[in-house]
Coordinates of all heavy atoms in Angstrom, one line a residue:
Chain D
D7 N -13.2 3.9 16.8 CA -13.1 5.0 16.0 C -11.9 5.0 15.1 O -12.0 5.3 13.9 CB -13.1 6.3 16.9 CG -14.4 6.6 17.3 OD1 -15.4 6.0 17.0 OD2 -14.5 7.6 18.2
H10 N -10.8 0.4 13.2 CA -11.6 -0.5 12.4 C -11.0 -0.6 11.0 O -10.7 0.3 10.5 CB -13.1 -0.2 12.3 CG -13.9 -1.3 11.8 ND1 -14.1 -1.6 10.5 CD2 -14.5 -2.4 12.5 CE1 -14.7 -2.7 10.4 NE2 -15.0 -3.2 11.6
S28 N -15.4 26.7 18.1 CA -15.3 28.0 18.8 C -13.9 28.6 18.7 O -13.8 29.7 18.5 CB -15.8 28.0 20.3 OG -15.3 26.8 20.9
L41 N -7.2 42.6 10.1 CA -7.0 43.0 8.6 C -7.9 44.2 8.4 O -7.5 45.1 7.7 CB -7.4 41.8 7.8 CG -6.4 40.6 7.9 CD1 -6.8 39.4 6.9 CD2 -5.0 41.0 7.8
E43 N -8.9 46.4 10.6 CA -8.3 47.6 11.5 C -7.0 48.1 10.7 O -6.7 49.3 10.8 CB -7.9 47.2 12.8 CG -9.2 47.0 13.8 CD -9.0 46.1 15.0 OE1 -7.8 46.1 15.4 OE2 -10.0 45.8 15.6
G45 N -6.5 48.1 7.7 CA -6.9 48.8 6.4 C -6.8 47.9 5.2 O -6.9 48.3 4.1
G64 N -22.4 28.9 -8.9 CA -22.6 27.5 -8.5 C -22.7 26.6 -9.8 O -22.6 27.1 -10.9
R70 N -26.0 25.2 -17.1 CA -26.5 26.0 -18.3 C -25.6 25.8 -19.6 O -26.1 25.6 -20.6 CB -26.6 27.5 -17.9 CG -27.9 28.0 -18.3 CD -27.9 29.6 -17.9 NE -27.7 30.3 -19.0 CZ -27.3 31.6 -19.0 NH1 -27.1 32.3 -17.8 NH2 -27.1 32.4 -20.1
K74 N -26.7 23.9 -23.0 CA -26.6 24.7 -24.3 C -25.8 23.9 -25.3 O -26.2 23.9 -26.4 CB -26.1 26.2 -24.0 CG -26.2 27.1 -25.2 CD -25.7 28.5 -24.9 CE -26.0 29.4 -26.0 NZ -27.2 29.6 -26.5
A80 N -23.5 24.4 -32.6 CA -22.6 25.4 -32.8 C -21.9 25.9 -31.4 O -20.7 26.1 -31.3 CB -23.1 26.6 -33.4
V93 N -18.2 30.0 -22.6 CA -18.8 30.2 -21.3 C -18.9 31.7 -20.9 O -19.9 32.2 -20.4 CB -18.1 29.5 -20.1 CG1 -18.9 29.7 -18.8 CG2 -18.2 27.9 -20.5
L96 N -21.9 33.6 -21.8 CA -23.1 33.3 -21.1 C -23.5 34.4 -19.9 O -24.5 34.5 -19.4 CB -23.3 32.0 -20.5 CG -23.1 30.8 -21.5 CD1 -23.1 29.5 -20.9 CD2 -24.2 30.9 -22.5
L106 N -10.1 28.1 -19.2 CA -11.1 27.0 -18.9 C -11.2 26.3 -20.0 O -11.2 26.6 -21.2 CB -12.5 27.7 -18.7 CG -13.6 26.7 -18.4 CD1 -13.4 26.1 -17.0 CD2 -15.0 27.3 -18.5
E110 N -14.9 16.5 -23.5 CA -16.1 15.9 -23.8 C -16.2 14.3 -23.5 O -15.3 13.6 -24.0 CB -16.3 16.0 -25.4 CG -17.6 15.4 -25.8 CD -17.9 15.6 -27.3 OE1 -16.9 15.9 -28.0 OE2 -19.0 15.4 -27.8
C124 N -3.4 20.1 -4.8 CA -4.1 21.0 -3.8 C -5.7 20.7 -4.1 O -6.1 19.7 -3.9 CB -3.8 22.6 -3.8 SG -3.7 23.2 -5.5
L132 N -18.6 26.0 -11.7 CA -19.1 25.0 -10.7 C -19.2 25.5 -9.3 O -19.7 24.8 -8.4 CB -18.2 23.7 -10.8 CG -18.2 23.0 -12.0 CD1 -17.4 21.7 -11.9 CD2 -19.4 22.7 -12.6
K140 N -11.8 17.9 -2.2 CA -10.7 18.6 -1.5 C -10.0 17.5 -0.6 O -9.0 17.8 -0.1 CB -11.1 19.8 -0.7 CG -11.7 20.9 -1.6 CD -12.2 22.1 -0.7 CE -13.5 21.8 -0.1 NZ -14.1 23.0 0.5
V161 N -20.9 4.7 -9.9 CA -20.7 4.8 -11.3 C -19.9 3.5 -11.7 O -18.8 3.6 -11.2 CB -20.2 6.1 -11.7 CG1 -19.8 6.1 -13.3 CG2 -21.1 7.2 -11.4
A165 N -15.4 -1.9 -19.0 CA -13.9 -2.0 -18.8 C -13.3 -1.4 -20.1 O -12.1 -0.9 -20.1 CB -13.6 -3.5 -18.7
W172 N -7.8 14.1 -15.6 CA -7.1 15.4 -15.8 C -6.6 15.9 -14.4 O -7.5 16.3 -13.6 CB -8.0 16.5 -16.5 CG -8.5 15.9 -17.8 CD1 -9.6 15.1 -18.0 CD2 -8.1 16.4 -19.1 NE1 -9.7 14.9 -19.3 CE2 -8.9 15.7 -20.0 CE3 -7.1 17.3 -19.6 CZ2 -8.7 15.9 -21.4 CZ3 -6.9 17.5 -20.9 CH2 -7.8 16.8 -21.8
P184 N -20.7 16.1 -20.1 CA -21.2 14.7 -19.9 C -21.9 14.4 -21.2 O -22.3 15.1 -22.0 CB -21.9 14.8 -18.7 CG -22.4 16.3 -18.5 CD -21.4 17.1 -19.2
G189 N -33.2 9.8 -24.8 CA -34.7 10.2 -24.4 C -34.9 11.6 -24.2 O -36.0 11.9 -23.5
S200 N -31.6 20.7 -16.0 CA -32.0 20.1 -14.8 C -31.3 18.7 -14.6 O -31.4 18.1 -13.6 CB -33.4 20.0 -14.6 OG -34.0 19.1 -15.6
R204 N -23.6 18.6 -10.5 CA -22.2 19.0 -10.4 C -21.2 17.9 -10.6 O -20.2 18.0 -11.3 CB -22.1 19.5 -9.0 CG -20.6 19.8 -8.5 CD -20.5 20.0 -7.0 NE -20.7 18.7 -6.4 CZ -21.0 18.5 -5.2 NH1 -21.3 19.4 -4.4 NH2 -21.3 17.2 -4.7
M207 N -20.2 17.0 -14.1 CA -19.3 18.0 -14.7 C -17.8 17.9 -14.1 O -16.9 18.4 -14.7 CB -19.8 19.4 -14.5 CG -21.0 19.7 -15.3 SD -21.8 21.3 -15.2 CE -22.5 21.4 -13.6
S215 N -30.8 10.5 -15.7 CA -31.5 10.0 -16.9 C -32.9 10.9 -17.2 O -33.4 11.4 -16.1 CB -32.0 8.5 -16.5 OG -33.1 8.2 -17.3
E223 N -41.1 18.7 -14.7 CA -40.2 19.3 -13.7 C -39.1 19.8 -14.4 O -38.4 19.5 -15.3 CB -39.8 18.3 -12.7 CG -38.9 18.9 -11.6 CD -38.4 17.9 -10.6 OE1 -39.0 16.8 -10.4 OE2 -37.1 18.1 -10.2
A225 N -35.4 22.5 -13.7 CA -34.6 23.1 -12.7 C -34.9 24.3 -12.2 O -35.6 25.2 -12.9 CB -33.1 23.1 -13.3

Side-chain angles (χ1 to χ4, degrees):
Chain D
D7 285 353
H10 191 273
S28 45
L41 297 181
E43 289 161 22
R70 226 182 102 197
K74 191 172 179 68
V93 174
L96 300 178
L106 182 67
E110 183 185 15
C124 47
L132 298 188
K140 302 176 284 192
V161 175
W172 302 77
S200 69
R204 176 195 64 203
M207 293 183 282
S215 159
E223 183 184 322

